[in-house]
Amino acid sequence: MPESWEYCLSIPNDPRAVPVCRRTLRLILTMHGLIRLADTAELIASELVSNAVLHTKGPADLRVRWADDVLRVGAWDADPAPPRPPGRLEELTDAENGRGMALTRACADLWGWQPLSRHGSRGKYVWCDLGAV
């Protein structure tokens, strides 16, 4: 099994950062022999980074960590307000928004958030865990 590692990609508040993060994440997982997690991890990263870029005004970070057979994909943003809890997918079929985090929650083994300061800015870190199975 791969040893523990962590990457952090700082991104500007720009929607073009989302595909950059997806491609970078796929490369990281490929290089570490974890390509089987790439599709789900990309979906999660896309939603977390999109939320960070679209709903805040400052910079953001994509963080990817592998430890104890768990992949953690997370995004930091400069808004300290907690994320809105995801609804249930079944209840959101006709909703115009809110499906992304519900889909993320459905794909992840575990998700959460915590206050976190980065680059001298207060903010939050929203993360999702994927098991290696």
Side-chain angles (χ1 to χ4, degrees):
M1 273 301 179
E3 59 188 51
S4 298
W5 45 261
E6 184 170 348
Y7 292 85
C8 182
L9 177 62
S10 296
I11 58 172
N13 190 284
D14 183 336
R16 294 174 290 190
V18 177
V20 170
C21 289
R22 275 196 318 264
R23 290 180 184 116
T24 302
L25 175 59
R26 182 166 288 272
L27 180 60
I28 290 167
L29 296 177
T30 300
M31 298 304 294
H32 284 283
L34 296 168
I35 192 65
R36 68 191 176 282
L37 298 175
D39 291 340
T40 305
E42 279 186 40
L43 180 124
I44 289 170
S46 292
E47 180 60 24
L48 297 179
V49 172
S50 291
N51 285 345
V53 170
L54 296 174
H55 301 296
T56 69
K57 293 183 178 11
D61 289 346
L62 171 68
R63 290 176 129 192
V64 184
R65 183 184 79 194
W66 174 261
D68 301 321
D69 292 337
V70 174
L71 180 69
R72 176 165 285 182
V73 177
W76 171 86
D77 65 56
D79 182 357
R84 185 179 314 176
R88 294 174 41 139
L89 274 175
E90 307 83 49
E91 299 166 357
L92 295 169
T93 52
D94 294 327
E96 291 188 24
N97 56 38
R99 289 185 298 247
M101 277 306 291
L103 184 60
T104 299
R105 181 180 76 172
C107 291
D109 295 324
L110 188 63
W111 84 276
W113 79 278
Q114 63 195 58
L116 182 67
S117 295
R118 299 276 297 160
H119 313 297
S121 299
R122 289 176 15 123
K124 68 180 166 297
Y125 177 60
V126 182
W127 52 267
C128 294
D129 286 350
L130 295 174
V133 180

